[in-house]
Coordinates of all heavy atoms in Angstrom, one line a residue:
G1 N -29.5 -46.9 8.1 CA -29.5 -45.8 9.0 C -29.6 -44.4 8.4 O -29.5 -44.3 7.4
F2 N -29.6 -43.5 9.3 CA -29.6 -42.1 8.9 C -29.0 -41.2 10.1 O -28.9 -41.5 11.2 CB -30.9 -41.7 8.5 CG -32.0 -41.8 9.6 CD1 -32.4 -40.8 10.5 CD2 -32.8 -43.1 9.8 CE1 -33.2 -40.9 11.4 CE2 -33.7 -43.2 10.8 CZ -33.9 -42.2 11.6
E3 N -28.8 -40.0 9.5 CA -28.3 -39.0 10.6 C -29.4 -38.2 11.1 O -30.3 -37.8 10.3 CB -27.3 -38.1 9.8 CG -26.5 -37.1 10.7 CD -25.7 -36.2 9.9 OE1 -24.6 -36.6 9.3 OE2 -26.0 -35.0 9.8
L4 N -29.3 -38.0 12.3 CA -30.2 -37.1 13.1 C -29.6 -35.9 13.7 O -28.7 -36.0 14.4 CB -31.0 -37.9 14.2 CG -31.9 -37.2 15.1 CD1 -33.1 -36.6 14.4 CD2 -32.2 -38.0 16.4
Y5 N -30.1 -34.6 13.4 CA -29.6 -33.7 14.0 C -30.7 -32.9 14.8 O -31.9 -32.7 14.3 CB -29.3 -32.5 12.8 CG -28.7 -31.1 13.4 CD1 -27.6 -31.1 14.1 CD2 -29.5 -30.0 13.1 CE1 -27.2 -29.9 14.7 CE2 -29.1 -28.8 13.6 CZ -27.8 -28.8 14.5 OH -27.5 -27.6 14.9
L6 N -30.4 -32.6 16.0 CA -31.4 -31.9 17.0 C -31.2 -30.4 16.8 O -30.1 -29.9 17.3 CB -31.2 -32.5 18.4 CG -31.4 -33.9 18.6 CD1 -31.4 -34.2 20.1 CD2 -32.7 -34.5 17.9
A7 N -32.1 -29.7 16.3 CA -31.9 -28.2 15.9 C -31.7 -27.4 17.3 O -30.9 -26.5 17.3 CB -33.0 -27.8 15.2
Q8 N -32.5 -27.7 18.2 CA -32.4 -26.8 19.5 C -31.2 -27.1 20.3 O -30.5 -26.2 20.9 CB -33.7 -27.1 20.4 CG -35.0 -26.5 19.8 CD -36.1 -26.6 20.8 OE1 -35.9 -26.6 22.1 NE2 -37.2 -26.9 20.4
S9 N -30.8 -28.4 20.3 CA -29.8 -28.9 21.3 C -28.4 -28.9 20.5 O -27.5 -28.9 21.1 CB -29.9 -30.3 21.7 OG -31.3 -30.7 21.9
D10 N -28.5 -28.6 19.2 CA -27.2 -28.7 18.2 C -26.4 -29.9 18.5 O -25.2 -29.9 18.9 CB -26.4 -27.3 18.6 CG -25.2 -27.2 17.7 OD1 -25.4 -27.7 16.4 OD2 -24.4 -26.6 18.0
K11 N -27.0 -31.0 18.3 CA -26.4 -32.3 18.5 C -26.8 -33.2 17.3 O -27.9 -33.2 16.8 CB -27.0 -33.0 19.8 CG -26.4 -32.4 21.1 CD -26.5 -33.3 22.3 CE -25.8 -32.6 23.4 NZ -26.6 -32.5 24.6
T12 N -25.7 -34.0 16.9 CA -25.9 -35.1 15.8 C -25.9 -36.4 16.2 O -24.9 -36.8 17.1 CB -24.9 -34.7 14.7 OG1 -25.1 -33.3 14.3 CG2 -25.2 -35.6 13.4
F13 N -26.6 -37.2 15.8 CA -26.6 -38.7 16.2 C -26.8 -39.5 14.9 O -27.4 -39.0 13.9 CB -27.7 -39.0 17.1 CG -27.7 -38.3 18.4 CD1 -28.5 -37.3 18.7 CD2 -26.8 -38.8 19.5 CE1 -28.4 -36.6 19.8 CE2 -26.7 -38.1 20.6 CZ -27.6 -37.1 20.9
T14 N -26.2 -40.8 14.9 CA -26.5 -41.7 13.8 C -27.6 -42.7 14.4 O -27.4 -43.2 15.5 CB -25.2 -42.4 13.4 OG1 -24.2 -41.4 13.0 CG2 -25.5 -43.3 12.3
I15 N -28.6 -42.8 13.5 CA -29.6 -43.8 14.0 C -29.5 -45.1 13.2 O -29.8 -45.1 12.0 CB -31.0 -43.2 13.8 CG1 -31.2 -41.9 14.3 CG2 -32.1 -44.2 14.3 CD1 -31.0 -41.6 15.7
P16 N -28.9 -46.2 13.8 CA -28.7 -47.4 13.2 C -30.1 -48.1 12.9 O -31.1 -47.7 13.4 CB -28.0 -48.2 14.1 CG -28.1 -47.7 15.4 CD -28.6 -46.3 15.3
S17 N -30.0 -48.9 11.9 CA -31.4 -49.6 11.4 C -32.1 -50.5 12.5 O -33.2 -50.7 12.5 CB -31.1 -50.4 10.1 OG -30.0 -51.3 10.3
D18 N -31.3 -50.9 13.5 CA -31.9 -51.7 14.5 C -32.2 -50.9 15.7 O -32.7 -51.4 16.9 CB -30.9 -52.9 14.8 CG -29.6 -52.4 15.5 OD1 -29.3 -51.2 15.3 OD2 -28.9 -53.2 15.9
Q19 N -32.2 -49.6 15.7 CA -32.7 -48.8 16.9 C -33.4 -47.7 16.5 O -33.4 -47.1 15.5 CB -31.4 -48.2 17.6 CG -30.6 -49.2 18.5 CD -29.5 -48.3 19.3 OE1 -28.5 -48.1 18.7 NE2 -29.7 -48.2 20.5
S20 N -34.5 -47.3 17.3 CA -35.4 -46.2 17.1 C -34.6 -44.9 17.5 O -33.7 -44.8 18.2 CB -36.7 -46.4 17.9 OG -36.5 -46.2 19.3
I21 N -35.2 -43.8 17.0 CA -34.9 -42.5 17.3 C -34.9 -42.3 18.8 O -33.9 -41.8 19.4 CB -35.7 -41.5 16.6 CG1 -35.4 -41.4 15.1 CG2 -35.2 -40.0 17.2 CD1 -36.4 -40.6 14.2
A22 N -36.0 -42.7 19.3 CA -36.2 -42.5 20.8 C -35.2 -43.4 21.6 O -34.7 -42.8 22.6 CB -37.7 -43.0 21.2
D23 N -34.9 -44.7 21.1 CA -33.8 -45.4 21.8 C -32.5 -44.8 21.8 O -31.8 -44.8 22.9 CB -33.6 -46.6 21.0 CG -34.7 -47.7 21.3 OD1 -35.4 -47.7 22.2 OD2 -34.8 -48.6 20.5
V24 N -32.1 -44.2 20.8 CA -30.7 -43.5 20.6 C -30.8 -42.2 21.5 O -29.7 -42.1 22.3 CB -30.4 -43.1 19.2 CG1 -29.1 -42.2 19.0 CG2 -30.3 -44.5 18.4
L25 N -31.9 -41.4 21.5 CA -31.8 -40.3 22.3 C -31.8 -40.6 23.7 O -31.0 -40.0 24.5 CB -33.0 -39.4 21.8 CG -33.1 -38.9 20.5 CD1 -34.3 -37.9 20.3 CD2 -31.7 -38.1 20.2
T26 N -32.6 -41.6 24.2 CA -32.6 -41.9 25.5 C -31.2 -42.4 26.0 O -30.9 -42.1 27.0 CB -33.7 -43.0 25.8 OG1 -35.0 -42.5 25.3 CG2 -33.8 -43.5 27.2
T27 N -30.7 -43.2 25.1 CA -29.3 -43.9 25.5 C -28.4 -42.7 25.7 O -27.3 -42.8 26.4 CB -28.8 -44.8 24.3 OG1 -29.8 -45.8 24.2 CG2 -27.6 -45.5 24.7
N28 N -28.5 -41.7 24.9 CA -27.5 -40.6 25.0 C -27.9 -39.5 26.0 O -27.4 -38.3 25.9 CB -27.3 -40.0 23.6 CG -26.4 -40.9 22.7 OD1 -25.2 -41.0 22.9 ND2 -27.1 -41.8 22.0
G29 N -28.9 -39.7 26.9 CA -29.2 -38.8 27.9 C -30.1 -37.7 27.5 O -30.2 -36.7 28.2
I30 N -30.6 -37.8 26.2 CA -31.6 -36.7 25.8 C -33.0 -37.1 26.3 O -33.5 -38.3 26.0 CB -31.6 -36.7 24.4 CG1 -30.3 -36.5 23.8 CG2 -32.8 -35.5 23.8 CD1 -29.7 -35.1 23.8
E31 N -33.6 -36.3 27.1 CA -35.0 -36.7 27.6 C -36.0 -36.5 26.6 O -36.2 -35.5 26.0 CB -35.4 -35.8 28.9 CG -34.8 -36.5 30.1 CD -35.4 -35.8 31.3 OE1 -36.6 -35.6 31.4 OE2 -34.6 -35.4 32.2
V32 N -36.9 -37.6 26.3 CA -38.0 -37.5 25.4 C -39.2 -38.0 26.1 O -38.9 -38.9 26.9 CB -37.7 -38.2 24.0 CG1 -36.7 -37.5 23.1 CG2 -37.4 -39.6 24.2
E33 N -40.4 -37.5 25.7 CA -41.5 -38.0 26.3 C -42.0 -39.3 25.6 O -42.3 -39.2 24.4 CB -42.7 -37.1 26.3 CG -42.6 -35.9 27.4 CD -43.8 -35.2 27.6 OE1 -44.8 -35.8 27.8 OE2 -43.9 -34.0 27.3
L34 N -42.1 -40.4 26.3 CA -42.5 -41.6 25.7 C -43.7 -42.3 26.5 O -43.6 -42.1 27.8 CB -41.4 -42.7 25.6 CG -40.2 -42.2 24.7 CD1 -39.0 -43.2 24.9 CD2 -40.7 -42.2 23.2
S35 N -44.5 -43.0 25.8 CA -45.5 -43.9 26.6 C -45.7 -45.2 25.9 O -45.0 -46.2 26.5 CB -46.9 -43.1 26.6 OG -47.8 -43.9 27.3
C36 N -46.4 -45.3 24.8 CA -46.6 -46.7 24.3 C -45.6 -47.4 23.6 O -45.3 -48.5 23.7 CB -47.8 -46.6 23.4 SG -47.4 -45.9 21.7
E37 N -44.6 -46.4 23.1 CA -43.5 -46.8 22.2 C -43.9 -47.8 21.1 O -43.0 -48.5 20.6 CB -42.4 -47.4 23.1 CG -41.7 -46.4 24.1 CD -40.6 -46.9 24.8 OE1 -39.6 -47.3 24.2 OE2 -40.6 -46.8 26.2
Q38 N -45.1 -47.6 20.6 CA -45.5 -48.5 19.5 C -46.2 -47.7 18.4 O -47.0 -48.3 17.6 CB -46.5 -49.5 20.1 CG -45.9 -50.5 21.0 CD -46.9 -51.7 21.5 OE1 -47.8 -52.2 20.8 NE2 -46.9 -51.7 22.8
G39 N -46.1 -46.4 18.5 CA -46.7 -45.7 17.5 C -48.3 -45.6 17.5 O -49.0 -45.2 16.5
I40 N -48.7 -45.7 18.7 CA -50.2 -45.6 18.9 C -50.8 -44.4 19.7 O -51.8 -43.7 19.4 CB -50.7 -46.9 19.7 CG1 -50.4 -48.2 18.8 CG2 -52.2 -46.8 20.0 CD1 -50.5 -49.4 19.6
C41 N -50.0 -43.9 20.7 CA -50.6 -42.9 21.6 C -50.2 -41.5 21.1 O -51.0 -40.6 21.6 CB -50.0 -43.2 23.0 SG -48.3 -42.7 23.4
G42 N -49.2 -41.2 20.4 CA -48.9 -39.8 20.0 C -48.0 -39.1 21.0 O -47.8 -37.8 20.8
T43 N -47.7 -39.6 22.1 CA -47.0 -38.9 23.2 C -45.7 -38.3 22.7 O -45.2 -37.2 23.2 CB -46.7 -39.8 24.4 OG1 -48.0 -40.2 24.9 CG2 -46.0 -39.2 25.5
C44 N -45.0 -39.2 21.8 CA -43.7 -38.9 21.4 C -43.7 -38.0 20.2 O -42.6 -37.6 19.4 CB -42.9 -40.1 21.2 SG -43.5 -41.0 19.7
L45 N -44.7 -37.4 19.9 CA -45.0 -36.6 18.6 C -43.9 -35.5 18.5 O -43.9 -34.7 19.6 CB -46.3 -36.1 18.5 CG -46.9 -35.7 17.1 CD1 -46.8 -37.1 16.2 CD2 -48.3 -35.3 17.2
T46 N -43.0 -35.2 17.5 CA -42.1 -34.2 17.5 C -42.0 -33.5 16.2 O -42.4 -34.1 15.1 CB -40.7 -35.0 17.7 OG1 -40.7 -35.6 18.9 CG2 -39.5 -34.0 17.7
R47 N -41.8 -32.3 16.3 CA -41.8 -31.4 15.1 C -40.7 -31.7 14.2 O -39.5 -31.8 14.5 CB -41.9 -30.0 15.4 CG -42.6 -29.1 14.3 CD -42.9 -27.8 14.9 NE -41.6 -26.9 14.9 CZ -41.1 -26.4 13.9 NH1 -41.7 -26.4 12.7 NH2 -40.0 -25.6 13.9
V48 N -40.9 -31.9 12.9 CA -39.8 -32.2 11.9 C -39.4 -30.8 11.2 O -40.3 -30.0 10.9 CB -40.3 -33.1 10.8 CG1 -39.3 -33.3 9.7 CG2 -40.7 -34.4 11.4
V49 N -38.1 -30.6 11.3 CA -37.7 -29.2 10.8 C -37.3 -29.5 9.3 O -37.4 -28.7 8.5 CB -36.5 -28.7 11.6 CG1 -35.9 -27.4 10.9 CG2 -36.8 -28.4 13.0
D50 N -36.6 -30.7 9.0 CA -36.1 -31.0 7.8 C -35.9 -32.4 7.5 O -35.8 -33.1 8.5 CB -34.7 -30.2 7.4 CG -34.3 -30.2 5.9 OD1 -35.3 -30.3 5.2 OD2 -33.2 -30.1 5.6
G51 N -36.0 -32.9 6.3 CA -35.9 -34.4 6.0 C -37.3 -34.8 5.9 O -38.3 -34.2 6.2
I52 N -37.4 -36.0 5.3 CA -38.8 -36.6 5.0 C -38.9 -37.9 5.9 O -38.2 -38.9 5.8 CB -38.9 -37.0 3.6 CG1 -38.9 -35.8 2.7 CG2 -40.3 -37.8 3.3 CD1 -38.7 -36.1 1.2
P53 N -39.8 -37.9 6.8 CA -40.0 -39.0 7.8 C -40.5 -40.2 7.1 O -41.2 -40.0 6.1 CB -41.0 -38.5 8.9 CG -41.2 -37.1 8.7 CD -40.7 -36.8 7.3
D54 N -40.2 -41.4 7.5 CA -40.7 -42.6 7.1 C -41.8 -43.1 8.2 O -41.4 -43.6 9.1 CB -39.6 -43.7 6.9 CG -40.1 -44.9 6.2 OD1 -41.4 -44.9 5.9 OD2 -39.4 -45.8 6.1
H55 N -43.0 -42.6 8.1 CA -44.0 -42.9 9.2 C -44.5 -44.3 9.4 O -44.8 -44.8 8.4 CB -45.2 -42.0 8.8 CG -45.0 -40.5 8.6 ND1 -44.8 -39.8 9.8 CD2 -44.9 -39.6 7.7 CE1 -44.6 -38.4 9.4 NE2 -44.6 -38.4 8.1
E56 N -44.2 -44.7 10.6 CA -44.6 -46.2 10.9 C -45.6 -46.1 11.9 O -46.1 -47.2 12.3 CB -43.4 -46.8 11.5 CG -42.3 -46.8 10.5 CD -42.3 -48.0 9.6 OE1 -43.4 -48.8 9.5 OE2 -41.3 -48.2 8.7
D57 N -46.2 -45.0 12.3 CA -47.2 -45.0 13.4 C -48.7 -45.2 13.0 O -48.9 -45.0 11.7 CB -47.1 -43.7 14.2 CG -47.5 -42.5 13.2 OD1 -46.8 -42.1 12.5 OD2 -48.7 -42.1 13.3
M58 N -49.4 -45.3 13.9 CA -50.9 -45.6 13.6 C -51.7 -44.4 14.2 O -52.9 -44.5 14.4 CB -51.5 -46.9 14.1 CG -51.1 -48.1 13.3 SD -51.1 -49.6 14.2 CE -49.6 -49.5 15.2
Y59 N -51.0 -43.4 14.7 CA -51.5 -42.3 15.5 C -51.9 -41.1 14.5 O -53.2 -40.6 14.5 CB -50.5 -41.7 16.5 CG -51.1 -40.5 17.3 CD1 -52.1 -40.7 18.2 CD2 -50.6 -39.3 17.0 CE1 -52.5 -39.6 18.9 CE2 -51.1 -38.2 17.5 CZ -52.1 -38.3 18.6 OH -52.5 -37.1 19.2
L60 N -51.1 -40.8 13.6 CA -51.4 -39.6 12.7 C -52.2 -40.2 11.5 O -52.1 -41.3 11.1 CB -50.1 -39.1 12.1 CG -49.2 -38.3 13.1 CD1 -47.8 -38.0 12.4 CD2 -49.8 -37.2 13.7
S61 N -53.0 -39.3 11.0 CA -53.8 -39.7 9.8 C -53.0 -39.6 8.4 O -51.8 -39.1 8.6 CB -54.9 -38.7 9.5 OG -54.3 -37.4 9.2
D62 N -53.4 -40.1 7.5 CA -52.8 -40.1 6.2 C -52.4 -38.8 5.7 O -51.2 -38.4 5.2 CB -53.5 -40.9 5.0 CG -53.5 -42.4 5.2 OD1 -52.8 -42.9 6.2 OD2 -54.3 -43.0 4.7
A63 N -53.2 -37.9 5.9 CA -53.2 -36.5 5.6 C -52.0 -35.8 6.4 O -51.2 -35.1 5.9 CB -54.5 -35.7 5.7
E64 N -52.1 -36.2 7.7 CA -51.1 -35.7 8.7 C -49.7 -36.1 8.2 O -48.7 -35.4 8.3 CB -51.5 -36.0 10.1 CG -52.5 -35.0 10.7 CD -53.0 -35.5 11.9 OE1 -53.1 -36.8 12.2 OE2 -53.4 -34.7 12.7
H65 N -49.5 -37.4 7.8 CA -48.4 -38.0 7.5 C -47.8 -37.3 6.2 O -46.7 -37.1 6.1 CB -48.5 -39.5 7.1 CG -48.6 -40.5 8.3 ND1 -49.3 -41.7 8.2 CD2 -48.2 -40.3 9.5 CE1 -49.1 -42.2 9.3 NE2 -48.6 -41.5 10.1
A66 N -48.7 -37.0 5.2 CA -48.3 -36.3 4.0 C -47.7 -34.9 4.3 O -46.9 -34.5 3.4 CB -49.5 -36.3 3.2
L67 N -48.0 -34.3 5.4 CA -47.5 -33.0 5.6 C -46.0 -33.1 6.0 O -45.3 -32.1 5.8 CB -48.3 -32.3 6.8 CG -49.6 -31.8 6.4 CD1 -50.4 -31.4 7.6 CD2 -49.7 -30.7 5.3
N68 N -45.6 -34.3 6.6 CA -44.3 -34.6 7.0 C -43.6 -33.3 7.8 O -42.5 -33.1 7.8 CB -43.3 -34.6 5.8 CG -43.5 -35.9 5.0 OD1 -43.9 -36.9 5.6 ND2 -43.4 -35.9 3.7
D69 N -44.6 -32.7 8.8 CA -44.0 -31.7 9.6 C -44.0 -32.1 11.1 O -43.7 -31.4 12.0 CB -44.9 -30.5 9.5 CG -46.4 -30.6 9.9 OD1 -46.8 -31.8 10.1 OD2 -47.2 -29.6 9.9
Q70 N -44.4 -33.5 11.3 CA -44.3 -34.0 12.6 C -44.3 -35.5 12.5 O -44.7 -36.1 11.6 CB -45.5 -33.6 13.5 CG -46.9 -33.9 12.9 CD -48.0 -33.4 13.8 OE1 -47.9 -33.0 14.8 NE2 -49.3 -33.4 13.1
M71 N -43.8 -36.2 13.6 CA -43.5 -37.7 13.5 C -43.4 -38.2 14.9 O -43.1 -37.5 15.9 CB -42.3 -37.9 12.7 CG -40.9 -37.6 13.5 SD -39.4 -37.8 12.5 CE -39.5 -39.6 12.3
T72 N -43.7 -39.5 15.0 CA -43.6 -40.2 16.3 C -42.2 -40.8 16.3 O -41.9 -41.6 15.3 CB -44.6 -41.4 16.2 OG1 -44.4 -42.2 15.3 CG2 -46.0 -40.9 16.4
I73 N -41.5 -40.5 17.2 CA -39.9 -40.8 17.3 C -39.8 -42.2 17.9 O -38.7 -42.7 17.8 CB -39.2 -39.8 17.9 CG1 -39.6 -39.5 19.3 CG2 -39.1 -38.5 17.1 CD1 -38.5 -38.6 20.2
C74 N -40.9 -42.7 18.4 CA -40.7 -44.1 19.0 C -40.6 -45.1 17.8 O -39.9 -46.3 18.0 CB -41.8 -44.5 19.9 SG -43.4 -44.6 19.2
V75 N -41.3 -45.0 16.6 CA -41.4 -46.0 15.6 C -41.0 -45.6 14.3 O -40.6 -46.3 13.4 CB -42.8 -46.7 15.5 CG1 -42.9 -47.5 16.7 CG2 -43.7 -45.8 15.3
S76 N -41.3 -44.2 14.0 CA -41.0 -43.7 12.7 C -39.5 -43.4 12.4 O -38.7 -43.2 13.4 CB -41.9 -42.4 12.5 OG -43.2 -42.9 12.4
R77 N -39.2 -43.5 11.2 CA -37.7 -43.4 10.8 C -37.7 -42.2 9.7 O -38.5 -41.3 9.7 CB -37.2 -44.7 10.3 CG -37.5 -45.9 11.4 CD -36.9 -47.2 11.0 NE -35.4 -47.0 10.9 CZ -34.7 -47.0 12.1 NH1 -35.3 -47.2 13.2 NH2 -33.4 -46.9 12.1
C78 N -36.7 -42.3 8.8 CA -36.4 -41.3 8.0 C -36.1 -41.9 6.4 O -35.3 -42.8 6.5 CB -35.3 -40.4 8.4 SG -35.1 -39.0 7.4
K79 N -36.7 -41.2 5.5 CA -36.5 -41.6 4.1 C -35.3 -41.0 3.5 O -34.7 -41.4 2.6 CB -37.8 -41.3 3.3 CG -38.9 -42.2 3.5 CD -40.2 -41.7 2.7 CE -41.3 -42.8 2.9 NZ -42.4 -42.1 2.3
T80 N -34.9 -39.8 3.9 CA -33.8 -39.1 3.6 C -32.6 -39.4 4.4 O -32.7 -39.8 5.6 CB -34.1 -37.5 3.6 OG1 -34.8 -37.2 4.8 CG2 -35.1 -37.1 2.5
P81 N -31.4 -39.1 3.8 CA -30.1 -39.4 4.7 C -30.0 -38.6 6.0 O -29.4 -39.0 6.9 CB -29.0 -39.0 3.8 CG -29.5 -38.9 2.4 CD -31.0 -38.6 2.6
R82 N -30.8 -37.4 6.1 CA -30.6 -36.6 7.2 C -32.0 -36.1 7.7 O -32.9 -35.7 6.8 CB -29.7 -35.4 6.8 CG -29.4 -34.5 8.1 CD -28.2 -33.6 7.7 NE -27.8 -32.8 8.9 CZ -28.1 -31.4 9.0 NH1 -29.0 -30.9 8.3 NH2 -27.5 -30.8 10.1
L83 N -32.2 -36.2 9.0 CA -33.4 -35.8 9.6 C -33.2 -34.8 10.6 O -32.3 -34.9 11.4 CB -34.1 -37.0 10.3 CG -35.5 -36.7 11.0 CD1 -36.5 -36.3 10.1 CD2 -35.8 -38.0 11.9
V84 N -33.9 -33.6 10.6 CA -33.7 -32.5 11.6 C -35.0 -32.4 12.3 O -36.1 -32.2 11.8 CB -33.3 -31.2 10.9 CG1 -33.1 -30.3 12.0 CG2 -32.2 -31.4 10.0
L85 N -34.8 -32.6 13.6 CA -36.1 -32.4 14.6 C -36.0 -31.2 15.4 O -34.8 -30.7 15.8 CB -36.1 -33.8 15.4 CG -36.3 -35.0 14.7 CD1 -36.4 -36.2 15.8 CD2 -37.8 -35.0 14.1
D86 N -37.1 -30.8 15.8 CA -37.2 -29.6 16.7 C -37.1 -30.0 18.1 O -38.0 -29.9 19.0 CB -38.6 -28.9 16.5 CG -38.7 -27.6 17.2 OD1 -37.6 -27.1 17.5 OD2 -39.7 -27.1 17.4
L87 N -35.8 -30.5 18.5 CA -35.5 -31.0 19.9 C -34.2 -30.3 20.4 O -33.4 -30.0 19.6 CB -35.4 -32.4 19.9 CG -36.7 -33.3 19.9 CD1 -36.3 -34.8 19.9 CD2 -37.7 -33.0 21.0
Ligands
FES101 FE1 -46.9 -43.6 21.8 FE2 -44.6 -42.9 20.4 S1 -44.8 -43.2 22.5 S2 -46.7 -43.2 19.8

């Protein structure tokens, strides 16, 4: 798992290895836009403020993945202990 900090909301969550970022946020009453929830549509694309995402989606290109400035929160995770999102 890893720690998730929401920069706009000033909230911190722990994302366990068996739950997605979107799952944890939804469970905690944070509204996020979701559609496919499989990393295909790009609806859940979210700006990354800090941390290195572990991209699991098929929506962004390899070049976009390498920038690490946005991620799909339905499937992608984090390689660093802490992830900061622009939410
Ligand atoms: Fe479709 Fe995340 S909801 S890529």
Side-chain angles (χ1 to χ4, degrees):
F2 56 93
E3 183 186 289
L4 171 66
Y5 177 65
L6 304 187
Q8 288 185 40
S9 321
D10 188 24
K11 287 189 170 131
T12 303
F13 299 98
T14 298
I15 311 296
S17 45
D18 62 347
Q19 278 189 286
S20 71
I21 294 171
D23 284 341
V24 172
L25 294 184
T26 303
T27 301
N28 286 279
I30 309 281
E31 270 189 53
V32 291
E33 279 194 59
L34 294 171
S35 181
C36 72
E37 296 187 54
Q38 292 176 52
I40 295 166
C41 72
T43 300
C44 67
L45 208 57
T46 301
R47 208 169 73 80
V48 175
V49 177
D50 199 18
I52 300 173
D54 190 1
H55 298 287
E56 301 276 4
D57 66 282
M58 288 159 283
Y59 177 75
L60 295 171
S61 68
D62 289 349
E64 287 170 326
H65 283 159
L67 292 174
N68 288 327
D69 62 352
Q70 55 183 347
M71 69 186 293
T72 57
I73 59 169
C74 65
V75 291
S76 294
R77 307 190 62 83
C78 189
K79 288 179 175 168
T80 44
R82 188 168 187 258
L83 177 68
V84 181
L85 292 178
D86 188 23
L87 285 176

